mmCIF file of all heavy atoms in Angstrom:
data_model
loop_
_atom_site.group_PDB
_atom_site.id
_atom_site.type_symbol
_atom_site.label_atom_id
_atom_site.label_comp_id
_atom_site.label_asym_id
_atom_site.label_seq_id
_atom_site.Cartn_x
_atom_site.Cartn_y
_atom_site.Cartn_z
ATOM 1 N N ALA B 297 26.382 12.498 -51.113
ATOM 2 C CA ALA B 297 25.150 12.196 -51.933
ATOM 3 C C ALA B 297 24.665 13.525 -52.540
ATOM 4 O O ALA B 297 24.289 13.564 -53.703
ATOM 5 C CB ALA B 297 24.078 11.557 -51.131
ATOM 6 N N GLN B 298 24.629 14.594 -51.730
ATOM 7 C CA GLN B 298 24.138 15.868 -52.245
ATOM 8 C C GLN B 298 25.161 16.440 -53.260
ATOM 9 O O GLN B 298 24.695 17.069 -54.250
ATOM 10 C CB GLN B 298 23.983 16.857 -51.023
ATOM 11 C CG GLN B 298 22.636 16.596 -50.342
ATOM 12 C CD GLN B 298 22.483 17.318 -49.076
ATOM 13 O OE1 GLN B 298 23.419 17.874 -48.548
ATOM 14 N NE2 GLN B 298 21.291 17.288 -48.522
ATOM 15 N N LYS B 299 26.411 16.200 -53.043
ATOM 16 C CA LYS B 299 27.431 16.723 -53.969
ATOM 17 C C LYS B 299 27.180 16.130 -55.413
ATOM 18 O O LYS B 299 27.373 16.859 -56.378
ATOM 19 C CB LYS B 299 28.837 16.315 -53.468
ATOM 20 C CG LYS B 299 29.961 16.919 -54.311
ATOM 21 C CD LYS B 299 31.283 16.488 -53.682
ATOM 22 C CE LYS B 299 32.358 16.389 -54.714
ATOM 23 N NZ LYS B 299 33.538 15.671 -54.207
ATOM 24 N N ILE B 300 26.811 14.852 -55.461
ATOM 25 C CA ILE B 300 26.564 14.252 -56.784
ATOM 26 C C ILE B 300 25.097 14.391 -57.223
ATOM 27 O O ILE B 300 24.696 13.822 -58.179
ATOM 28 C CB ILE B 300 27.041 12.798 -56.881
ATOM 29 C CG1 ILE B 300 26.244 11.948 -55.875
ATOM 30 C CG2 ILE B 300 28.442 12.698 -56.623
ATOM 31 C CD1 ILE B 300 26.399 10.443 -56.085
ATOM 32 N N GLY B 301 24.328 15.098 -56.451
ATOM 33 C CA GLY B 301 22.965 15.412 -56.799
ATOM 34 C C GLY B 301 21.926 14.299 -56.527
ATOM 35 O O GLY B 301 20.860 14.196 -57.039
ATOM 36 N N PHE B 302 22.378 13.393 -55.583
ATOM 37 C CA PHE B 302 21.544 12.241 -55.211
ATOM 38 C C PHE B 302 20.829 12.483 -53.923
ATOM 39 O O PHE B 302 21.434 12.861 -52.973
ATOM 40 C CB PHE B 302 22.405 11.000 -55.165
ATOM 41 C CG PHE B 302 21.637 9.755 -54.677
ATOM 42 C CD1 PHE B 302 20.471 9.353 -55.246
ATOM 43 C CD2 PHE B 302 22.154 9.076 -53.570
ATOM 44 C CE1 PHE B 302 19.845 8.198 -54.812
ATOM 45 C CE2 PHE B 302 21.490 7.932 -53.138
ATOM 46 C CZ PHE B 302 20.314 7.525 -53.714
ATOM 47 N N GLN B 303 19.448 12.254 -53.981
ATOM 48 C CA GLN B 303 18.688 12.483 -52.779
ATOM 49 C C GLN B 303 18.696 11.214 -51.915
ATOM 50 O O GLN B 303 18.040 10.273 -52.216
ATOM 51 C CB GLN B 303 17.232 12.780 -53.116
ATOM 52 C CG GLN B 303 17.045 14.022 -53.986
ATOM 53 C CD GLN B 303 17.192 15.304 -53.212
ATOM 54 O OE1 GLN B 303 16.478 15.490 -52.260
ATOM 55 N NE2 GLN B 303 18.150 16.117 -53.610
ATOM 56 N N ALA B 304 19.523 11.217 -50.849
ATOM 57 C CA ALA B 304 19.707 9.989 -50.058
ATOM 58 C C ALA B 304 18.678 9.877 -48.932
ATOM 59 O O ALA B 304 19.026 9.817 -47.797
ATOM 60 C CB ALA B 304 21.110 9.921 -49.487
ATOM 61 N N TYR B 305 17.372 10.060 -49.337
ATOM 62 C CA TYR B 305 16.343 9.997 -48.281
ATOM 63 C C TYR B 305 16.450 8.715 -47.523
ATOM 64 O O TYR B 305 16.558 7.663 -48.089
ATOM 65 C CB TYR B 305 14.976 10.076 -48.879
ATOM 66 C CG TYR B 305 14.687 11.439 -49.550
ATOM 67 C CD1 TYR B 305 14.211 11.480 -50.822
ATOM 68 C CD2 TYR B 305 14.808 12.605 -48.741
ATOM 69 C CE1 TYR B 305 13.924 12.720 -51.367
ATOM 70 C CE2 TYR B 305 14.531 13.804 -49.320
ATOM 71 C CZ TYR B 305 14.084 13.877 -50.625
ATOM 72 O OH TYR B 305 13.793 15.035 -51.222
ATOM 73 N N ALA B 306 16.341 8.762 -46.202
ATOM 74 C CA ALA B 306 16.145 7.594 -45.347
ATOM 75 C C ALA B 306 17.369 6.664 -45.412
ATOM 76 O O ALA B 306 17.335 5.538 -45.029
ATOM 77 C CB ALA B 306 14.935 6.782 -45.677
ATOM 78 N N ALA B 307 18.529 7.177 -45.865
ATOM 79 C CA ALA B 307 19.763 6.327 -45.864
ATOM 80 C C ALA B 307 20.343 6.259 -44.482
ATOM 81 O O ALA B 307 21.402 6.884 -44.243
ATOM 82 C CB ALA B 307 20.764 6.884 -46.882
ATOM 83 N N SER B 308 19.714 5.594 -43.632
ATOM 84 C CA SER B 308 20.126 5.595 -42.248
ATOM 85 C C SER B 308 20.481 4.199 -41.802
ATOM 86 O O SER B 308 19.853 3.242 -42.258
ATOM 87 C CB SER B 308 18.971 6.099 -41.385
ATOM 88 O OG SER B 308 18.936 5.393 -40.172
ATOM 89 N N PRO B 309 21.488 3.956 -40.938
ATOM 90 C CA PRO B 309 21.859 2.615 -40.521
ATOM 91 C C PRO B 309 20.736 2.007 -39.710
ATOM 92 O O PRO B 309 20.755 0.794 -39.434
ATOM 93 C CB PRO B 309 23.105 2.849 -39.668
ATOM 94 C CG PRO B 309 22.962 4.268 -39.178
ATOM 95 C CD PRO B 309 22.263 4.959 -40.288
ATOM 96 N N ASP B 310 19.754 2.794 -39.276
ATOM 97 C CA ASP B 310 18.742 2.251 -38.436
ATOM 98 C C ASP B 310 17.580 1.667 -39.177
ATOM 99 O O ASP B 310 16.636 1.227 -38.551
ATOM 100 C CB ASP B 310 18.282 3.347 -37.439
ATOM 101 C CG ASP B 310 19.451 3.872 -36.695
ATOM 102 O OD1 ASP B 310 20.213 3.121 -36.175
ATOM 103 O OD2 ASP B 310 19.591 5.120 -36.666
ATOM 104 N N LEU B 311 17.587 1.709 -40.492
ATOM 105 C CA LEU B 311 16.498 1.233 -41.199
ATOM 106 C C LEU B 311 16.898 0.002 -42.047
ATOM 107 O O LEU B 311 17.665 0.099 -43.009
ATOM 108 C CB LEU B 311 15.995 2.316 -42.249
ATOM 109 C CG LEU B 311 15.507 3.575 -41.570
ATOM 110 C CD1 LEU B 311 15.208 4.602 -42.632
ATOM 111 C CD2 LEU B 311 14.305 3.310 -40.736
ATOM 112 N N PRO B 312 16.478 -1.164 -41.612
ATOM 113 C CA PRO B 312 16.947 -2.393 -42.253
ATOM 114 C C PRO B 312 16.339 -2.699 -43.605
ATOM 115 O O PRO B 312 15.584 -3.612 -43.765
ATOM 116 C CB PRO B 312 16.583 -3.484 -41.179
ATOM 117 C CG PRO B 312 15.411 -2.899 -40.500
ATOM 118 C CD PRO B 312 15.499 -1.390 -40.562
ATOM 119 N N ASP B 313 16.574 -1.755 -44.529
ATOM 120 C CA ASP B 313 16.052 -1.923 -45.898
ATOM 121 C C ASP B 313 17.227 -2.306 -46.788
ATOM 122 O O ASP B 313 18.129 -1.519 -46.946
ATOM 123 C CB ASP B 313 15.400 -0.598 -46.254
ATOM 124 C CG ASP B 313 14.764 -0.638 -47.705
ATOM 125 O OD1 ASP B 313 15.360 -1.441 -48.536
ATOM 126 O OD2 ASP B 313 13.850 0.096 -47.975
ATOM 127 N N PRO B 314 17.190 -3.458 -47.418
ATOM 128 C CA PRO B 314 18.302 -3.936 -48.250
ATOM 129 C C PRO B 314 18.649 -2.971 -49.410
ATOM 130 O O PRO B 314 19.835 -2.842 -49.718
ATOM 131 C CB PRO B 314 17.865 -5.282 -48.796
ATOM 132 C CG PRO B 314 16.430 -5.433 -48.510
ATOM 133 C CD PRO B 314 16.021 -4.454 -47.416
ATOM 134 N N VAL B 315 17.623 -2.357 -50.008
ATOM 135 C CA VAL B 315 17.935 -1.435 -51.130
ATOM 136 C C VAL B 315 18.716 -0.201 -50.611
ATOM 137 O O VAL B 315 19.707 0.222 -51.192
ATOM 138 C CB VAL B 315 16.625 -1.001 -51.853
ATOM 139 C CG1 VAL B 315 16.935 -0.082 -52.985
ATOM 140 C CG2 VAL B 315 15.954 -2.244 -52.385
ATOM 141 N N VAL B 316 18.170 0.327 -49.527
ATOM 142 C CA VAL B 316 18.841 1.526 -48.932
ATOM 143 C C VAL B 316 20.257 1.130 -48.482
ATOM 144 O O VAL B 316 21.200 1.918 -48.722
ATOM 145 C CB VAL B 316 18.010 2.029 -47.703
ATOM 146 C CG1 VAL B 316 18.791 3.082 -46.944
ATOM 147 C CG2 VAL B 316 16.678 2.582 -48.197
ATOM 148 N N GLU B 317 20.399 -0.059 -47.917
ATOM 149 C CA GLU B 317 21.718 -0.491 -47.506
ATOM 150 C C GLU B 317 22.691 -0.595 -48.656
ATOM 151 O O GLU B 317 23.798 -0.158 -48.617
ATOM 152 C CB GLU B 317 21.545 -1.871 -46.771
ATOM 153 C CG GLU B 317 22.824 -2.432 -46.174
ATOM 154 C CD GLU B 317 23.536 -1.517 -45.175
ATOM 155 O OE1 GLU B 317 22.772 -0.707 -44.560
ATOM 156 O OE2 GLU B 317 24.739 -1.543 -45.098
ATOM 157 N N ALA B 318 22.157 -1.140 -49.819
ATOM 158 C CA ALA B 318 23.022 -1.291 -50.995
ATOM 159 C C ALA B 318 23.465 0.127 -51.487
ATOM 160 O O ALA B 318 24.602 0.334 -51.872
ATOM 161 C CB ALA B 318 22.227 -2.018 -52.088
ATOM 162 N N LEU B 319 22.468 1.092 -51.477
ATOM 163 C CA LEU B 319 22.854 2.435 -51.894
ATOM 164 C C LEU B 319 23.915 3.082 -50.967
ATOM 165 O O LEU B 319 24.787 3.828 -51.403
ATOM 166 C CB LEU B 319 21.584 3.287 -51.949
ATOM 167 C CG LEU B 319 20.588 2.955 -53.097
ATOM 168 C CD1 LEU B 319 19.269 3.576 -52.932
ATOM 169 C CD2 LEU B 319 21.276 3.276 -54.432
ATOM 170 N N ARG B 320 23.780 2.780 -49.690
ATOM 171 C CA ARG B 320 24.768 3.312 -48.717
ATOM 172 C C ARG B 320 26.185 2.782 -49.079
ATOM 173 O O ARG B 320 27.166 3.510 -49.072
ATOM 174 C CB ARG B 320 24.374 2.975 -47.295
ATOM 175 C CG ARG B 320 23.123 3.662 -46.809
ATOM 176 C CD ARG B 320 22.723 3.161 -45.445
ATOM 177 N NE ARG B 320 23.671 3.523 -44.434
ATOM 178 C CZ ARG B 320 24.375 2.763 -43.661
ATOM 179 N NH1 ARG B 320 24.239 1.472 -43.778
ATOM 180 N NH2 ARG B 320 25.224 3.173 -42.767
ATOM 181 N N VAL B 321 26.226 1.504 -49.360
ATOM 182 C CA VAL B 321 27.502 0.847 -49.696
ATOM 183 C C VAL B 321 28.095 1.558 -50.957
ATOM 184 O O VAL B 321 29.274 1.903 -51.080
ATOM 185 C CB VAL B 321 27.374 -0.649 -49.853
ATOM 186 C CG1 VAL B 321 28.662 -1.258 -50.395
ATOM 187 C CG2 VAL B 321 26.970 -1.290 -48.549
ATOM 188 N N LEU B 322 27.185 1.716 -51.990
ATOM 189 C CA LEU B 322 27.644 2.378 -53.243
ATOM 190 C C LEU B 322 28.116 3.767 -52.996
ATOM 191 O O LEU B 322 29.125 4.156 -53.542
ATOM 192 C CB LEU B 322 26.447 2.404 -54.192
ATOM 193 C CG LEU B 322 26.170 1.185 -55.021
ATOM 194 C CD1 LEU B 322 24.931 1.321 -55.834
ATOM 195 C CD2 LEU B 322 27.385 0.903 -55.978
ATOM 196 N N LEU B 323 27.390 4.528 -52.158
ATOM 197 C CA LEU B 323 27.816 5.890 -51.847
ATOM 198 C C LEU B 323 29.212 5.875 -51.234
ATOM 199 O O LEU B 323 30.064 6.716 -51.553
ATOM 200 C CB LEU B 323 26.861 6.570 -50.950
ATOM 201 C CG LEU B 323 25.553 7.054 -51.548
ATOM 202 C CD1 LEU B 323 24.558 7.540 -50.441
ATOM 203 C CD2 LEU B 323 25.824 8.164 -52.536
ATOM 204 N N ASP B 324 29.424 4.965 -50.270
ATOM 205 C CA ASP B 324 30.760 4.866 -49.638
ATOM 206 C C ASP B 324 31.866 4.609 -50.652
ATOM 207 O O ASP B 324 32.910 5.163 -50.658
ATOM 208 C CB ASP B 324 30.778 3.783 -48.580
ATOM 209 C CG ASP B 324 30.068 4.228 -47.316
ATOM 210 O OD1 ASP B 324 29.708 5.390 -47.234
ATOM 211 O OD2 ASP B 324 29.876 3.414 -46.397
#
Side-chain angles (χ1 to χ4, degrees):
Q298 280 172 345
K299 186 177 148 195
I300 62 168
F302 172 54
Q303 301 284 303
Y305 292 127
S308 143
D310 304 313
L311 299 173
D313 178 331
V315 178
V316 170
E317 183 54 30
L319 289 169
R320 292 174 67 240
V321 171
L322 277 173
L323 282 174
D324 282 354

